[in-house]
Amino acid sequence: RISKDRRNLIIEKANGKDKGEVFIIDATDDEFNCDAISMKLSIREMPSNYKPFNPSSVASLDYNKLKFPLRIRKWVKGDKFYPLGMKKPKKISDFLIDTKVSLSDKDEVYVMLSGDEIAWVIGYRIDDRFKIVPATKKLYICNIVNNE
């Protein structure tokens, strides 16, 4: 496959993977594995002194805002989410451009869905609607342990 990324031409082997594959996470699962992502999953009570600062490889979400089963799939054109700290939706395609994700890496970006809403652009940013707030009682923590 040959593609143009900003000012460069990129030649790479097309992976041919099915873009429509959907993976399921149940509330009782403590890990998730697919070809591209491995995560440890945990549910914890909200500590009184909790400060939600995590690297992009960790998502701390408000457990009570999630609708199980969660679904994981590759992002598709037209997907929107509310990036953490924003009150308006943003297209994932625009978010990835703003974040300067290369064209080949864009093809490997997955999203975690709660119902029909994107809760996390995996490895990049959580959705503001699922963030930890002072009223949060339980945390749902997703920690990427292997991202190839």
Side-chain angles (χ1 to χ4, degrees):
R1 166 174 98 166
I2 298 175
S3 52
K4 184 178 182 216
D5 186 21
R6 294 174 184 87
R7 293 192 287 165
N8 301 311
L9 285 178
I10 300 169
I11 301 171
E12 61 188 350
K13 184 177 179 180
N15 65 12
K17 291 181 183 173
D18 180 19
K19 219 175 162 129
E21 193 169 15
V22 176
F23 303 96
I24 302 296
I25 296 177
D26 289 314
T28 57
D29 292 345
D30 60 359
E31 64 180 34
F32 169 79
N33 295 295
C34 73
D35 289 342
I37 304 167
S38 293
M39 290 188 286
K40 296 287 181 195
L41 309 168
S42 60
I43 301 167
R44 297 188 189 149
E45 294 298 319
M46 174 82 156
S48 60
N49 61 348
Y50 185 75
K51 300 237 189 278
F53 175 77
N54 295 310
S56 58
S57 62
V58 178
S60 296
L61 306 168
D62 187 323
Y63 178 81
N64 293 320
K65 293 177 184 174
L66 296 170
K67 295 176 188 162
F68 286 89
L70 302 176
R71 293 176 293 135
I72 292 183
R73 63 164 170 79
K74 286 190 176 181
W75 76 281
V76 294
K77 206 174 225 179
D79 276 348
K80 291 181 182 180
F81 81 123
Y82 291 74
L84 183 63
M86 293 183 67
K87 300 300 176 204
K88 292 182 181 178
K90 185 168 198 147
K91 287 184 180 178
I92 290 182
S93 58
D94 293 340
F95 171 78
L96 295 173
I97 289 168
D98 293 348
T99 312
K100 300 194 182 333
V101 176
S102 72
L103 193 61
S104 58
D105 288 344
K106 284 180 190 177
D107 287 345
E108 298 304 317
V109 173
Y110 285 79
V111 293
M112 177 185 283
L113 292 104
S114 171
D116 291 329
E117 298 175 330
I118 294 173
W120 185 26
V121 178
I122 298 175
Y124 292 93
R125 184 92 44 96
I126 67 167
D127 187 294
D128 196 75
R129 298 169 292 181
F130 297 91
K131 71 181 176 187
I132 304 302
V133 296
T136 299
K137 298 202 183 328
K138 280 186 178 178
L139 305 174
Y140 188 73
I141 300 172
C142 311
N143 187 0
I144 298 173
V145 291
N146 184 16
N147 192 4
E148 296 176 31

